[in-house]
Amino acid sequence: MRRSRVVALLAAGGFAVAGCSAPGPAEVTFYADGHTITTAPVLSCDYSRQLAQPCSAKGDTQTLKVRPGKPVQISVPGEVADAPWQIVYEYVTPQGEYKQSEPIPFTSLDRYAYTVTPPTPADRISAVDVQKYTAVLNSSTGESGLLPSDVWGLRLEA
């Protein structure tokens, strides 16, 4: 009987420790043409270390299939929505030309989703990047600005 209590206490302690582990990186969800994928950042930057190369690649860009004219829906977690963030996308025209959108910024700090729609029904979205920004202070000049801290990428194939 005593042994079963010890095992139960150890198991409960293990669950408590597991519940306290640090959360992983924020994930962004993309939905296109009936398919959903959740991705971790492909690039992360830490400007607090003041390194010459503050950014590092984190993983591979995910891929989904999408037909021409179909939109791509994007859902971001609170960690992203609570910061300035933007979307940039690329699309392919029926003539095979690749074109890039102007950045679509979100600074209201309460936007959790956005739908990217191709400029025309014949165009096909080929890539989408979600970029989260962070405020950075240059200690030598005293100037501040926004720089990308995390980037999530999605490539779309026909």
Side-chain angles (χ1 to χ4, degrees):
M1 178 104 158
R2 176 176 253 183
R3 182 177 174 165
S4 63
R5 278 192 233 167
V6 171
V7 170
L9 285 173
L10 288 174
F15 288 128
V17 171
C20 295
S21 64
E27 294 185 328
V28 169
T29 301
F30 296 94
Y31 174 82
D33 207 4
H35 304 282
T36 301
I37 194 164
T38 301
T39 67
V42 294
L43 182 73
S44 289
C45 305
D46 182 0
Y47 302 103
S48 65
R49 293 186 281 166
Q50 301 297 320
L51 298 173
Q53 297 281 334
C55 301
S56 61
K58 294 294 182 187
D60 295 329
T61 301
Q62 299 292 323
T63 304
L64 282 178
K65 290 187 181 257
V66 66
R67 293 174 288 166
K70 296 296 182 181
V72 176
Q73 297 172 334
I74 302 158
S75 177
V76 301
E79 179 182 327
V80 177
D82 292 343
W85 62 286
Q86 73 178 14
I87 293 170
V88 178
Y89 69 93
E90 180 182 82
Y91 63 96
V92 183
T93 67
Q95 295 77 27
E97 296 177 79
Y98 284 83
K99 297 188 175 188
Q100 186 172 323
S101 72
E102 293 293 321
I104 304 166
F106 304 101
T107 58
S108 65
L109 307 183
D110 65 353
R111 184 74 183 250
Y112 289 84
Y114 185 78
T115 300
V116 175
T117 304
T120 74
D123 295 329
R124 182 182 59 80
I125 297 172
S126 59
V128 178
D129 284 344
V130 173
Q131 304 165 349
K132 176 185 165 190
Y133 281 78
T134 189
V136 177
L137 175 67
N138 184 329
S139 58
S140 60
T141 65
E143 295 178 355
S144 63
L146 292 174
L147 294 174
S149 59
D150 293 292
V151 176
W152 295 261
L154 177 69
R155 301 298 163 246
L156 296 121
E157 300 174 342

